[in-house]
Amino acid sequence: MNGEELPPLRDDVLYDAEQASWYIGRTSIWLKRAARADQIPARRVGRFWKWSAANIRSIIAGEPHVPQRRKRSRRTA
């Protein structure tokens, strides 16, 4: 954001990769790759990755992320 002070995080907003990158200090590409690999907390909304204020705070604080991947069900024929 060109040296401007960032607005405070809002708990009622989901941030996209570009917005979250301002707070986290990493590129939006890094955020998307880490989210896809389930290395950081994020949620998928349609085809886009989104981060809540709580997600961003935990990434900034360096809290460990417990992967939340669901096991794929095997179809039986």
Side-chain angles (χ1 to χ4, degrees):
M1 286 203 43
N2 301 334
E4 299 174 15
E5 188 172 326
L6 294 171
L9 287 168
R10 294 180 43 189
D11 291 322
D12 61 337
V13 174
L14 286 178
Y15 295 90
D16 64 21
E18 185 69 29
Q19 295 165 328
S21 71
W22 298 337
Y23 292 96
I24 296 169
R26 297 288 203 128
T27 65
S28 59
I29 293 170
W30 182 89
L31 286 172
K32 291 181 224 177
R33 285 181 181 163
R36 193 177 314 116
D38 206 15
Q39 297 171 340
I40 59 172
R43 75 176 62 158
R44 192 83 189 244
V45 179
R47 56 183 267 209
F48 302 102
W49 288 102
K50 299 285 185 171
W51 288 264
S52 66
N55 292 149
I56 294 171
R57 288 184 191 107
S58 70
I59 294 167
I60 292 170
E63 296 174 3
H65 171 62
V66 178
Q68 298 295 318
R69 287 216 187 234
R70 290 188 244 166
K71 293 181 180 178
R72 293 185 181 185
S73 62
R74 294 186 179 200
R75 293 183 181 182
T76 56

Coordinates of all heavy atoms in Angstrom, one line a residue:
M1 N 0.8 -1.2 0.0 CA 0.0 0.0 0.0 C 0.9 1.3 0.0 O 0.5 2.3 0.6 CB -0.9 0.0 1.2 CG -2.1 -1.0 1.0 SD -3.6 -0.7 1.9 CE -3.9 1.0 1.8
N2 N 2.0 1.2 -0.6 CA 2.9 2.4 -0.8 C 3.2 3.2 0.5 O 3.1 4.4 0.5 CB 2.3 3.3 -1.8 CG 2.0 2.6 -3.1 OD1 2.7 1.7 -3.5 ND2 1.1 3.1 -3.9
G3 N 3.5 2.5 1.6 CA 3.9 3.2 2.8 C 2.8 3.7 3.6 O 3.0 4.3 4.6
E4 N 1.6 3.6 3.2 CA 0.4 4.1 3.9 C 0.2 3.2 5.1 O 0.5 2.0 5.0 CB -0.8 4.2 3.0 CG -0.7 5.1 1.9 CD -1.9 5.1 1.0 OE1 -2.9 4.5 1.4 OE2 -1.8 5.5 -0.2
E5 N -0.4 3.7 6.1 CA -0.8 2.9 7.3 C -2.0 2.0 6.9 O -3.0 2.5 6.3 CB -1.1 3.7 8.5 CG -1.3 2.9 9.7 CD -1.4 3.8 11.0 OE1 -0.8 4.8 11.0 OE2 -2.2 3.4 11.8
L6 N -2.0 0.7 7.2 CA -3.1 -0.1 6.9 C -4.3 0.1 7.9 O -4.1 0.3 9.0 CB -2.6 -1.6 7.0 CG -1.6 -2.0 6.0 CD1 -1.1 -3.4 6.4 CD2 -2.1 -2.1 4.6
P7 N -5.5 0.0 7.3 CA -6.6 0.1 8.2 C -6.7 -1.2 9.1 O -6.1 -2.2 8.8 CB -7.8 0.1 7.3 CG -7.3 -0.5 6.0 CD -5.8 -0.2 5.9
P8 N -7.3 -1.0 10.3 CA -7.4 -2.2 11.2 C -8.1 -3.3 10.5 O -9.0 -3.1 9.7 CB -8.1 -1.7 12.4 CG -8.6 -0.4 12.1 CD -8.0 0.1 10.8
L9 N -7.8 -4.6 10.9 CA -8.5 -5.7 10.4 C -9.9 -5.7 10.9 O -10.2 -5.5 12.1 CB -7.8 -7.0 10.8 CG -6.5 -7.3 10.1 CD1 -5.8 -8.4 10.8 CD2 -6.7 -7.7 8.7
R10 N -10.9 -6.1 10.1 CA -12.3 -6.2 10.5 C -12.7 -7.6 10.5 O -12.4 -8.4 9.6 CB -13.1 -5.4 9.5 CG -12.9 -3.9 9.5 CD -13.7 -3.2 8.5 NE -15.1 -3.6 8.5 CZ -16.0 -3.2 7.6 NH1 -15.7 -2.4 6.7 NH2 -17.2 -3.7 7.7
D11 N -13.4 -8.0 11.6 CA -13.8 -9.4 11.8 C -15.0 -9.8 10.9 O -15.3 -10.9 10.7 CB -14.2 -9.6 13.2 CG -12.9 -9.6 14.1 OD1 -11.9 -10.1 13.7 OD2 -13.0 -9.1 15.3
D12 N -15.7 -8.8 10.3 CA -16.8 -9.1 9.4 C -16.5 -9.1 7.9 O -17.4 -9.1 7.1 CB -17.9 -8.1 9.7 CG -17.5 -6.6 9.4 OD1 -16.3 -6.3 9.4 OD2 -18.4 -5.8 9.2
V13 N -15.2 -9.1 7.6 CA -14.8 -9.1 6.2 C -13.9 -10.3 5.9 O -13.1 -10.7 6.7 CB -13.9 -7.8 6.0 CG1 -13.4 -7.8 4.6 CG2 -14.8 -6.6 6.2
L14 N -14.1 -10.8 4.7 CA -13.2 -11.8 4.2 C -12.2 -11.1 3.2 O -12.7 -10.4 2.3 CB -13.9 -13.0 3.5 CG -14.6 -13.9 4.3 CD1 -15.4 -15.0 3.5 CD2 -13.7 -14.6 5.3
Y15 N -10.9 -11.3 3.4 CA -10.0 -10.6 2.6 C -9.5 -11.5 1.4 O -9.2 -12.7 1.7 CB -8.8 -10.2 3.4 CG -9.2 -9.2 4.5 CD1 -9.6 -9.6 5.8 CD2 -9.1 -7.8 4.2 CE1 -10.0 -8.6 6.7 CE2 -9.5 -6.9 5.2 CZ -9.9 -7.3 6.4 OH -10.3 -6.4 7.4
D16 N -9.3 -10.9 0.3 CA -8.7 -11.7 -0.8 C -7.2 -11.7 -0.7 O -6.7 -11.1 0.2 CB -9.2 -11.1 -2.2 CG -8.7 -9.7 -2.5 OD1 -7.7 -9.3 -1.9 OD2 -9.3 -9.1 -3.4
A17 N -6.6 -12.4 -1.6 CA -5.1 -12.6 -1.5 C -4.3 -11.3 -1.6 O -3.4 -11.1 -0.8 CB -4.6 -13.6 -2.6
E18 N -4.8 -10.4 -2.4 CA -4.1 -9.1 -2.5 C -4.2 -8.3 -1.2 O -3.2 -7.8 -0.7 CB -4.7 -8.3 -3.7 CG -3.9 -7.1 -4.0 CD -2.5 -7.3 -4.5 OE1 -2.3 -8.3 -5.2 OE2 -1.7 -6.4 -4.3
Q19 N -5.4 -8.3 -0.7 CA -5.6 -7.5 0.6 C -4.9 -8.2 1.7 O -4.2 -7.5 2.5 CB -7.1 -7.4 0.9 CG -7.9 -6.6 -0.1 CD -9.4 -6.9 0.0 OE1 -9.8 -7.9 0.4 NE2 -10.1 -5.8 -0.3
A20 N -5.0 -9.5 1.9 CA -4.3 -10.2 2.9 C -2.8 -10.0 2.9 O -2.1 -9.9 3.9 CB -4.7 -11.7 2.9
S21 N -2.2 -10.0 1.6 CA -0.8 -9.8 1.5 C -0.3 -8.5 2.0 O 0.9 -8.5 2.5 CB -0.4 -10.0 0.0 OG -0.8 -8.8 -0.7
W22 N -1.1 -7.5 2.1 CA -0.7 -6.2 2.6 C -0.4 -6.4 4.1 O 0.5 -5.8 4.7 CB -1.8 -5.1 2.5 CG -2.1 -4.8 1.0 CD1 -1.3 -5.0 -0.1 CD2 -3.3 -4.3 0.6 NE1 -2.0 -4.6 -1.2 CE2 -3.2 -4.1 -0.8 CE3 -4.5 -3.9 1.2 CZ2 -4.2 -3.6 -1.6 CZ3 -5.5 -3.4 0.4 CH2 -5.4 -3.2 -1.0
Y23 N -1.3 -7.1 4.8 CA -1.1 -7.3 6.3 C 0.0 -8.3 6.6 O 0.7 -8.1 7.6 CB -2.4 -7.8 6.9 CG -3.5 -6.7 6.8 CD1 -4.5 -6.7 5.8 CD2 -3.6 -5.8 7.8 CE1 -5.5 -5.8 5.7 CE2 -4.6 -4.8 7.8 CZ -5.5 -4.8 6.7 OH -6.5 -3.9 6.7
I24 N 0.1 -9.4 5.8 CA 1.0 -10.4 6.1 C 2.4 -10.1 5.7 O 3.4 -10.6 6.3 CB 0.5 -11.8 5.5 CG1 -0.8 -12.1 6.2 CG2 1.5 -12.9 5.7 CD1 -1.6 -13.2 5.5
G25 N 2.6 -9.3 4.7 CA 3.9 -9.0 4.2 C 4.5 -10.0 3.2 O 5.7 -10.1 3.1
R26 N 3.7 -10.8 2.6 CA 4.1 -11.8 1.6 C 3.3 -11.5 0.4 O 2.3 -10.8 0.4 CB 3.8 -13.2 2.1 CG 4.5 -13.7 3.3 CD 5.9 -14.0 3.0 NE 6.5 -14.9 3.9 CZ 7.2 -16.0 3.6 NH1 7.4 -16.3 2.3 NH2 7.6 -16.8 4.5
T27 N 3.7 -12.1 -0.7 CA 3.0 -11.8 -2.0 C 1.7 -12.6 -2.0 O 1.6 -13.6 -1.3 CB 3.9 -12.2 -3.2 OG1 4.1 -13.7 -3.2 CG2 5.2 -11.5 -3.2
S28 N 0.8 -12.2 -2.9 CA -0.5 -12.9 -3.0 C -0.2 -14.2 -3.6 O -1.0 -15.2 -3.3 CB -1.4 -12.0 -3.9 OG -0.9 -11.8 -5.1
I29 N 0.8 -14.4 -4.4 CA 1.0 -15.7 -5.0 C 1.5 -16.7 -3.9 O 1.1 -17.8 -3.9 CB 2.1 -15.6 -6.1 CG1 1.6 -14.8 -7.3 CG2 2.6 -17.0 -6.6 CD1 2.6 -14.4 -8.3
W30 N 2.3 -16.2 -3.0 CA 2.8 -17.1 -1.9 C 1.6 -17.5 -1.1 O 1.5 -18.7 -0.7 CB 3.8 -16.3 -1.0 CG 4.3 -17.2 0.1 CD1 5.4 -18.0 0.1 CD2 3.7 -17.3 1.4 NE1 5.5 -18.6 1.3 CE2 4.5 -18.2 2.1 CE3 2.6 -16.7 2.1 CZ2 4.2 -18.6 3.4 CZ3 2.4 -17.1 3.4 CH2 3.2 -18.0 4.0
L31 N 0.7 -16.6 -0.8 CA -0.5 -16.9 0.0 C -1.4 -18.0 -0.6 O -1.8 -18.9 0.0 CB -1.3 -15.6 0.3 CG -0.8 -14.6 1.3 CD1 -1.6 -13.4 1.3 CD2 -0.8 -15.2 2.6
K32 N -1.6 -17.8 -1.9 CA -2.4 -18.8 -2.6 C -1.8 -20.1 -2.7 O -2.4 -21.2 -2.5 CB -2.7 -18.3 -4.1 CG -3.6 -17.1 -4.1 CD -3.9 -16.7 -5.6 CE -3.8 -15.2 -5.8 NZ -3.9 -14.8 -7.1
R33 N -0.5 -20.2 -2.9 CA 0.2 -21.5 -2.9 C 0.2 -22.1 -1.6 O 0.0 -23.4 -1.5 CB 1.7 -21.3 -3.4 CG 1.8 -21.0 -4.9 CD 3.2 -20.9 -5.3 NE 3.3 -20.6 -6.8 CZ 4.3 -20.1 -7.4 NH1 5.4 -19.8 -6.7 NH2 4.3 -19.9 -8.7
A34 N 0.5 -21.4 -0.5 CA 0.5 -21.9 0.8 C -0.9 -22.4 1.2 O -1.1 -23.4 1.9 CB 1.0 -20.9 1.8
A35 N -2.0 -21.7 0.8 CA -3.3 -22.1 1.1 C -3.7 -23.4 0.4 O -4.3 -24.3 0.9 CB -4.3 -21.0 0.7
R36 N -3.3 -23.4 -0.9 CA -3.6 -24.6 -1.7 C -2.9 -25.9 -1.1 O -3.4 -27.0 -1.1 CB -3.1 -24.4 -3.1 CG -3.6 -25.4 -4.1 CD -3.2 -25.2 -5.6 NE -3.4 -23.8 -6.0 CZ -2.4 -23.0 -6.3 NH1 -1.1 -23.4 -6.3 NH2 -2.6 -21.7 -6.7
A37 N -1.7 -25.7 -0.5 CA -0.9 -26.8 0.1 C -1.4 -27.0 1.5 O -0.8 -27.9 2.2 CB 0.6 -26.4 0.0
D38 N -2.3 -26.3 2.0 CA -2.9 -26.4 3.4 C -1.8 -26.1 4.4 O -1.8 -26.8 5.5 CB -3.5 -27.7 3.6 CG -4.6 -27.7 4.6 OD1 -5.1 -26.6 5.0 OD2 -5.0 -28.8 5.1
Q39 N -0.9 -25.2 4.1 CA 0.1 -24.8 5.1 C -0.3 -23.6 6.0 O 0.3 -23.4 7.0 CB 1.4 -24.4 4.3 CG 2.0 -25.6 3.6 CD 3.1 -25.2 2.6 OE1 3.2 -24.0 2.3 NE2 3.9 -26.1 2.3
I40 N -1.3 -22.8 5.5 CA -1.8 -21.7 6.3 C -3.3 -21.8 6.3 O -3.9 -22.4 5.4 CB -1.3 -20.3 5.7 CG1 -1.8 -20.2 4.3 CG2 0.2 -20.2 5.8 CD1 -1.6 -18.8 3.7
P41 N -3.9 -21.2 7.3 CA -5.4 -21.2 7.4 C -6.0 -20.3 6.3 O -5.5 -19.1 6.1 CB -5.7 -20.7 8.8 CG -4.5 -19.9 9.2 CD -3.4 -20.5 8.5
A42 N -7.0 -20.8 5.6 CA -7.7 -20.0 4.5 C -8.9 -20.8 4.2 O -9.1 -21.9 4.6 CB -6.8 -19.9 3.3
R43 N -9.8 -20.1 3.5 CA -11.0 -20.8 3.1 C -11.2 -20.5 1.6 O -10.9 -19.5 1.1 CB -12.2 -20.4 3.9 CG -12.8 -19.1 3.6 CD -14.1 -18.9 4.4 NE -13.7 -18.9 5.8 CZ -14.4 -18.3 6.8 NH1 -15.5 -17.7 6.5 NH2 -14.0 -18.4 8.0
R44 N -11.8 -21.5 1.0 CA -12.1 -21.4 -0.5 C -13.5 -20.9 -0.7 O -14.5 -21.5 -0.1 CB -11.9 -22.8 -1.1 CG -11.9 -22.9 -2.6 CD -10.5 -22.5 -3.0 NE -10.5 -22.4 -4.5 CZ -9.9 -23.2 -5.3 NH1 -9.1 -24.1 -4.8 NH2 -9.9 -22.9 -6.6
V45 N -13.7 -19.8 -1.4 CA -15.0 -19.3 -1.7 C -15.1 -19.3 -3.2 O -14.5 -18.5 -3.9 CB -15.2 -17.9 -1.2 CG1 -16.6 -17.3 -1.6 CG2 -15.0 -17.8 0.3
G46 N -15.8 -20.3 -3.7 CA -15.9 -20.5 -5.2 C -14.5 -20.9 -5.7 O -13.9 -21.9 -5.2
R47 N -13.9 -20.2 -6.6 CA -12.6 -20.5 -7.1 C -11.5 -19.6 -6.4 O -10.4 -19.6 -6.8 CB -12.5 -20.4 -8.6 CG -13.0 -19.0 -9.1 CD -13.0 -19.0 -10.6 NE -11.7 -18.5 -11.1 CZ -11.5 -17.9 -12.2 NH1 -12.5 -17.7 -13.0 NH2 -10.3 -17.5 -12.5
F48 N -11.9 -18.8 -5.5 CA -11.0 -17.8 -4.8 C -10.7 -18.2 -3.4 O -11.5 -18.8 -2.7 CB -11.6 -16.4 -4.8 CG -12.0 -15.9 -6.2 CD1 -13.3 -16.0 -6.6 CD2 -11.0 -15.4 -7.1 CE1 -13.6 -15.5 -7.9 CE2 -11.3 -15.0 -8.3 CZ -12.6 -15.1 -8.8
W49 N -9.4 -17.9 -3.0 CA -9.0 -18.1 -1.6 C -9.3 -16.8 -0.8 O -9.1 -15.7 -1.3 CB -7.5 -18.4 -1.5 CG -7.2 -19.7 -2.0 CD1 -6.7 -20.1 -3.2 CD2 -7.4 -21.0 -1.3 NE1 -6.5 -21.4 -3.3 CE2 -7.0 -22.0 -2.1 CE3 -7.9 -21.3 0.0 CZ2 -7.0 -23.3 -1.7 CZ3 -7.9 -22.6 0.4 CH2 -7.5 -23.6 -0.5
K50 N -9.8 -17.0 0.4 CA -10.2 -15.8 1.2 C -9.6 -16.1 2.6 O -9.5 -17.2 3.1 CB -11.7 -15.7 1.3 CG -12.4 -15.4 0.0 CD -12.2 -14.0 -0.5 CE -13.0 -13.7 -1.7 NZ -12.9 -12.3 -2.1
W51 N -9.3 -15.0 3.3 CA -8.8 -15.0 4.7 C -9.6 -14.1 5.6 O -9.9 -13.0 5.2 CB -7.3 -14.5 4.7 CG -6.4 -15.5 4.0 CD1 -5.6 -16.4 4.7 CD2 -6.1 -15.6 2.7 NE1 -4.9 -17.1 3.8 CE2 -5.2 -16.7 2.5 CE3 -6.5 -15.0 1.5 CZ2 -4.7 -17.1 1.3 CZ3 -6.1 -15.4 0.3 CH2 -5.1 -16.5 0.2
S52 N -10.0 -14.7 6.7 CA -10.7 -13.9 7.8 C -9.6 -13.1 8.6 O -8.4 -13.4 8.5 CB -11.5 -14.8 8.7 OG -10.6 -15.6 9.4
A53 N -10.1 -12.2 9.4 CA -9.1 -11.4 10.2 C -8.4 -12.4 11.2 O -7.2 -12.2 11.4 CB -9.9 -10.3 11.0
A54 N -9.1 -13.4 11.7 CA -8.5 -14.3 12.6 C -7.4 -15.1 11.9 O -6.4 -15.4 12.4 CB -9.6 -15.3 13.2
N55 N -7.7 -15.5 10.6 CA -6.7 -16.2 9.8 C -5.4 -15.4 9.7 O -4.3 -15.9 9.9 CB -7.2 -16.6 8.4 CG -8.3 -17.6 8.3 OD1 -9.1 -17.5 7.5 ND2 -8.3 -18.5 9.3
I56 N -5.6 -14.1 9.3 CA -4.5 -13.2 9.1 C -3.7 -13.0 10.4 O -2.5 -13.1 10.4 CB -5.0 -11.9 8.5 CG1 -5.5 -12.1 7.1 CG2 -3.8 -10.8 8.5 CD1 -6.2 -10.9 6.5
R57 N -4.4 -12.8 11.5 CA -3.7 -12.7 12.8 C -2.9 -13.9 13.2 O -1.8 -13.8 13.7 CB -4.7 -12.4 13.9 CG -5.3 -11.0 13.8 CD -6.2 -10.7 15.0 NE -7.0 -9.5 14.7 CZ -8.3 -9.4 14.4 NH1 -9.0 -10.6 14.4 NH2 -8.9 -8.3 14.2
S58 N -3.4 -15.1 12.9 CA -2.7 -16.3 13.3 C -1.5 -16.5 12.4 O -0.4 -17.0 12.8 CB -3.6 -17.5 13.2 OG -4.0 -17.9 11.9
I59 N -1.6 -16.1 11.1 CA -0.4 -16.2 10.2 C 0.7 -15.2 10.7 O 1.9 -15.6 10.7 CB -0.8 -15.9 8.7 CG1 -1.7 -17.0 8.2 CG2 0.4 -15.8 7.9 CD1 -2.4 -16.7 6.9
I60 N 0.3 -14.0 11.0 CA 1.2 -13.0 11.5 C 1.9 -13.4 12.8 O 3.1 -13.3 12.9 CB 0.5 -11.6 11.7 CG1 0.1 -11.1 10.3 CG2 1.4 -10.6 12.4 CD1 -0.8 -9.9 10.4
A61 N 1.1 -14.0 13.7 CA 1.7 -14.5 15.0 C 2.5 -15.7 14.8 O 3.2 -16.1 15.8 CB 0.5 -14.8 15.9
G62 N 2.5 -16.4 13.7 CA 3.3 -17.6 13.5 C 2.7 -18.8 14.1 O 3.5 -19.8 14.4
E63 N 1.4 -18.8 14.4 CA 0.8 -20.0 15.1 C 0.8 -21.1 14.1 O 0.6 -21.0 12.9 CB -0.6 -19.6 15.5 CG -0.7 -18.5 16.5 CD -2.1 -18.1 16.8 OE1 -3.1 -18.7 16.2 OE2 -2.3 -17.2 17.6
P64 N 1.1 -22.3 14.7 CA 1.1 -23.5 13.8 C -0.3 -23.8 13.2 O -1.3 -23.6 13.9 CB 1.5 -24.7 14.7 CG 1.3 -24.2 16.1 CD 1.4 -22.7 16.1
H65 N -0.4 -24.2 12.0 CA -1.6 -24.5 11.3 C -1.8 -26.0 11.3 O -1.0 -26.8 10.9 CB -1.6 -24.0 9.9 CG -2.8 -24.4 9.1 ND1 -4.1 -24.1 9.4 CD2 -2.9 -25.1 8.0 CE1 -4.9 -24.6 8.5 NE2 -4.2 -25.3 7.7
V66 N -3.0 -26.5 11.8 CA -3.3 -27.9 11.7 C -4.1 -28.1 10.4 O -5.2 -27.5 10.3 CB -4.2 -28.3 12.9 CG1 -4.6 -29.8 12.8 CG2 -3.5 -28.0 14.2
P67 N -3.6 -28.9 9.5 CA -4.3 -29.0 8.2 C -5.7 -29.6 8.4 O -6.0 -30.4 9.2 CB -3.4 -30.1 7.5 CG -2.1 -29.9 8.1 CD -2.3 -29.6 9.5
Q68 N -6.6 -29.1 7.6 CA -8.0 -29.4 7.7 C -8.6 -30.2 6.5 O -9.8 -30.2 6.3 CB -8.9 -28.1 7.9 CG -8.5 -27.3 9.1 CD -8.9 -28.1 10.4 OE1 -9.9 -28.7 10.5 NE2 -8.0 -28.0 11.3
R69 N -7.7 -30.8 5.8 CA -8.1 -31.5 4.6 C -9.1 -32.6 4.9 O -8.9 -33.3 5.8 CB -6.9 -32.1 3.9 CG -6.1 -31.1 3.2 CD -5.6 -31.6 1.9 NE -4.7 -30.6 1.4 CZ -4.7 -30.1 0.2 NH1 -5.6 -30.5 -0.6 NH2 -3.9 -29.2 -0.2
R70 N -10.1 -32.7 4.1 CA -11.0 -33.8 4.3 C -10.5 -34.9 3.4 O -10.0 -34.8 2.4 CB -12.4 -33.4 3.7 CG -13.1 -32.3 4.6 CD -14.5 -32.2 4.1 NE -14.6 -30.8 3.6 CZ -15.6 -30.3 2.9 NH1 -16.5 -31.1 2.5 NH2 -15.6 -29.1 2.5
K71 N -10.8 -36.1 4.0 CA -10.4 -37.3 3.2 C -11.4 -37.5 2.1 O -12.6 -37.3 2.3 CB -10.4 -38.5 4.1 CG -9.4 -38.5 5.2 CD -9.4 -39.8 6.0 CE -8.3 -39.7 7.1 NZ -8.4 -40.9 7.9
R72 N -10.9 -37.8 1.0 CA -11.8 -38.1 -0.2 C -12.5 -39.4 0.0 O -11.8 -40.4 0.4 CB -11.0 -38.1 -1.5 CG -10.4 -36.7 -1.8 CD -9.8 -36.8 -3.1 NE -9.2 -35.5 -3.5 CZ -8.7 -35.2 -4.6 NH1 -8.6 -36.1 -5.6 NH2 -8.2 -34.0 -4.8
S73 N -13.7 -39.4 -0.3 CA -14.4 -40.7 -0.1 C -14.2 -41.5 -1.4 O -14.1 -41.0 -2.5 CB -15.9 -40.4 0.0 OG -16.4 -39.8 -1.1
R74 N -14.0 -42.8 -1.2 CA -13.9 -43.7 -2.3 C -15.2 -44.2 -2.8 O -16.0 -44.7 -2.0 CB -13.0 -44.8 -1.9 CG -11.6 -44.4 -1.6 CD -10.7 -45.6 -1.4 NE -9.4 -45.2 -1.1 CZ -8.3 -46.0 -1.3 NH1 -8.5 -47.2 -1.6 NH2 -7.1 -45.5 -1.0
R75 N -15.4 -44.1 -4.0 CA -16.7 -44.6 -4.6 C -16.6 -46.1 -4.8 O -15.6 -46.6 -5.2 CB -17.0 -43.9 -5.9 CG -17.3 -42.5 -5.8 CD -17.7 -41.9 -7.1 NE -17.9 -40.5 -7.0 CZ -18.3 -39.7 -8.0 NH1 -18.5 -40.3 -9.2 NH2 -18.5 -38.5 -7.8
T76 N -17.6 -46.7 -4.4 CA -17.7 -48.2 -4.6 C -18.6 -48.4 -5.8 O -19.6 -47.8 -6.0 CB -18.3 -48.9 -3.4 OG1 -19.5 -48.4 -3.0 CG2 -17.3 -48.7 -2.2
A77 N -18.1 -49.4 -6.6 CA -18.9 -49.7 -7.8 C -20.0 -50.6 -7.6 O -20.2 -51.3 -6.7 CB -17.9 -50.3 -8.9

